[in-house]
């Protein structure tokens, strides 16, 4: 997020990127070898579980780009107050729980994949609408509202369905740890999405001259929405949930011995 201000080749940027790569690699290696890892990455080898998590990651990045970009556009380009911006953004989030509830039975009938595919397409449509009709002159009904309705419906179809697909793909004895991994991936994706948007916008200065950069961000979110739809199609063809999972992490030897010695 600081790289646009510091410079991509500055010492601080290069150092932080190197630290990120090294520490990330070490974390993955430890998670794969530790008897009780924080992230049980072996679960990602389950085809449907891995696909659902990939969808959560991709769609989460797109969702974060969409949400923060709308806030910045209203406040920094249209110069709306925080209160007016919040009220203007209500329709999208308000649709999410409604759509999720209305489509719960559809998931049982048609499976998770079709809902994710349709949700990704609707989200993409909302981002394309924004890129096509956004204007520095405030026009809520023509610009922001239709996009909110499309993306809100798409999020309601895709976001919760991806989480449900990931958990549903796990055998019962791994549901708890698998759910934790699903939610962790979703939180990480939000962080990545914010960083991507800030990088595209070029740092802390955002105003009416940033329209081109916003459109690049919305285009990226649209592409990620299409990728989510593709993952939904893959889930549709994936067959039944995974029936086997890696064995649960073993207790350390000392704990196992203590259990054996217990009355």
């Amino acid at each position: 997020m600081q790289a646009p201000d510091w410079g991509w080749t500055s010492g601080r940027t290069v150092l932080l990127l190197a630290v990120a790569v090294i520490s990330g690699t070490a974390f993955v290696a430890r998670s794969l070898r530790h008897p009780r890892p924080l992230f049980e990455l072996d679960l990602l080898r389950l085809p449907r579980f891995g696909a659902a998590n990939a969808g959560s990651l991709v769609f989460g990045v797109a969702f974060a780009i969409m949400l923060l970009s709308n806030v910045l556009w209203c406040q920094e380009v249209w110069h709306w107050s925080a209160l007016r911006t919040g009220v203007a953004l209500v329709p999208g989030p308000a649709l999410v729980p409604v759509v999720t509830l209305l489509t719960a039975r559809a998931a049982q009938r048609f499976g998770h994949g079709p809902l994710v595919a349709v949700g990704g397409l609707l989200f993409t449509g909302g981002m394309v609408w924004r890129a096509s009709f956004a204007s520095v002159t405030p026009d809520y009904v023509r610009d922001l509202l239709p996009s909110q309705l499309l993306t809100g419906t798409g999020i309601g179809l895709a976001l919760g369905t991806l989480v449900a697909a990931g958990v549903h793909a796990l055998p019962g004895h791994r549901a708890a740890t698998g759910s934790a991994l699903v939610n962790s991936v979703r939180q990480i994706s939000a962080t990545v999405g914010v960083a991507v948007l800030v990088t595209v916008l070029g740092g802390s200065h955002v105003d009416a001259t940033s329209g081109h950069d916003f459109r690049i961000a919305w285009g990226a979110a649209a592409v990620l929405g299409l990728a989510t739809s593709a993952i939904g199609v893959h889930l549709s063809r994936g067959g039944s949930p995974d029936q086997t999972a890696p064995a649960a992490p073993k207790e350390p030897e000392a704990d196992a011995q203590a259990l054996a010695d217990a009355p």
Side-chain angles (χ1 to χ4, degrees), residues 1-109:
M1 293 174 65
Q2 292 295 110
D5 294 328
W6 292 349
W8 284 97
T9 59
S10 71
R12 285 183 292 180
T13 302
V14 173
L15 176 62
L16 286 175
L17 289 174
V19 169
V21 171
I22 294 171
S23 59
T25 302
F27 179 79
V28 170
R30 181 174 176 82
S31 295
L32 291 173
R33 297 172 183 174
H34 198 278
R36 301 181 65 82
L38 181 64
F39 276 12
E40 295 189 28
L41 299 179
D42 283 345
L43 292 175
L44 296 176
R45 297 176 183 175
L46 298 172
R48 288 178 61 83
F49 183 75
N53 274 275
S56 294
L57 178 64
V58 170
F59 194 70
V61 173
F63 173 75
I65 291 174
M66 179 276 298
L67 186 60
L68 181 57
S69 68
N70 285 343
V71 172
L72 292 175
W73 184 268
C74 289
Q75 292 193 263
E76 305 299 330
V77 179
W78 285 353
H79 303 292
W80 285 3
S81 67
L83 177 60
R84 188 176 183 182
T85 297
V87 173
L89 297 181
V90 164
L95 274 174
V96 174
V98 174
V99 173
T100 301
L101 289 173
L102 291 177
T103 57
R105 292 186 178 180
Q108 297 176 358
R109 181 174 180 181

Side-chain angles (χ1 to χ4, degrees), residues 44 46-59 107 110-120 157-170 182 226-242:
L44 296 176
L46 298 172
R48 288 178 61 83
F49 183 75
N53 274 275
S56 294
L57 178 64
V58 170
F59 194 70
F110 301 107
H112 299 105
L115 298 184
V116 172
V118 173
L157 286 170
L159 190 61
T161 306
L162 282 166
V163 174
V167 175
H168 186 69
L170 290 169
V182 169
L226 289 176
T228 303
S229 291
I231 292 173
V233 172
H234 174 75
L235 288 171
S236 301
R237 299 173 177 175
S240 59
D242 300 312

Side-chain angles (χ1 to χ4, degrees), residues 158-223:
L159 190 61
T161 306
L162 282 166
V163 174
V167 175
H168 186 69
L170 290 169
H173 69 287
R174 306 311 300 280
T177 51
S179 298
L181 182 56
V182 169
N183 284 289
S184 296
V185 168
R186 188 163 57 87
Q187 296 297 329
I188 291 170
S189 69
T191 306
V192 174
V194 170
V196 168
L197 177 64
V198 173
T199 301
V200 171
L201 295 181
S204 58
H205 183 67
V206 177
D207 55 25
T209 65
S210 305
H212 176 70
D213 296 331
F214 273 100
R215 285 179 171 83
I216 292 176
W218 293 329
V223 171

